[in-house]
Amino acid sequence: AVTRLPEIEWFHPDSRGLERLVVWWLGRPFDLVTETFLAQAGTAVSVAKTEKGLGLTNTNESTYWTAPIRAEAANQMSVLWLGSWNSGTSSVVMRDATNSGGSIVLWRNSGFDMRLGGTDYTGAGTWNTGQIYGVGITASATAARLFVDGNLVINGGAPAGGAVSPWYLH
């Protein structure tokens, strides 16, 4: 069991501009930047045993954790996610607070998909259940990109609009 959380090396250039760094600790998502647990909405979460160890499963998209609201507007963002799907289709990983037409930073739909500011992007490929993926997403006023395991799978144009806080982590 992890008894001590890792610390952010704020002097390192890669930490410049870091606003959230969520890790799983004590069975819940914990933000190392704000030093708080994310708030949980809903109760459809249970422990899932995989070949890689224990994790959590969300059996209902009405259950999620919220990242604190940003006070300032941002014209760009980067998101890194490491994880796997064990079942289901059209599964959302992370989205903003907009119920429709907003931003779904990552989801499993027809391939590698994302929606930023109301603009849909779809990349070739298939999510395999039980496989661990490293996903990187970058967005700015001029482009939206999604990388899977180091490969560029979406190289899209400018999103239609911005994201609405708070972020929901499924």
Side-chain angles (χ1 to χ4, degrees):
V2 176
T3 57
R4 185 170 171 251
L5 284 168
E7 295 181 14
I8 298 170
E9 295 180 1
W10 289 109
F11 61 87
H12 195 282
D14 289 342
S15 67
R16 188 181 69 212
L18 184 65
E19 293 189 31
R20 301 280 175 265
L21 182 56
V22 178
V23 298
W24 291 96
W25 186 48
L26 302 175
R28 296 169 55 199
F30 185 83
D31 184 349
L32 291 174
V33 174
T34 62
E35 297 182 346
T36 58
F37 285 101
L38 301 188
Q40 183 176 331
T43 59
V45 176
S46 60
V47 174
K49 185 176 180 182
T50 71
E51 62 185 41
K52 304 294 183 185
L54 292 178
L56 294 178
T57 183
N58 177 348
T59 58
N60 180 331
E61 287 193 14
S62 294
T63 296
Y64 50 85
W65 292 269
T66 58
I69 295 173
R70 290 177 51 114
E72 72 283 356
N75 60 6
Q76 62 185 13
M77 72 172 183
S78 297
V79 175
L80 301 174
W81 176 79
L82 178 66
S84 69
W85 264 285
N86 289 319
S87 65
T89 57
S90 298
S91 302
V92 172
V93 173
M94 192 170 119
R95 66 179 174 92
D96 73 0
T98 306
N99 288 329
S100 62
S103 293
I104 302 175
V105 178
L106 179 61
W107 89 93
R108 178 183 182 199
N109 193 17
S110 59
F112 298 105
D113 299 293
M114 65 182 182
R115 178 182 300 140
L116 297 173
T119 303
D120 286 339
Y121 303 92
T122 298
T126 302
W127 291 106
N128 297 314
T129 57
Q131 180 177 336
I132 294 178
Y133 293 95
V135 178
I137 295 139
T138 62
S140 68
T142 59
R145 293 183 178 86
L146 186 139
F147 299 83
V148 177
D149 295 334
N151 299 306
L152 180 63
V153 296
I154 295 175
N155 189 12
V164 179
S165 279
W167 289 100
Y168 294 172
L169 178 64
H170 288 271

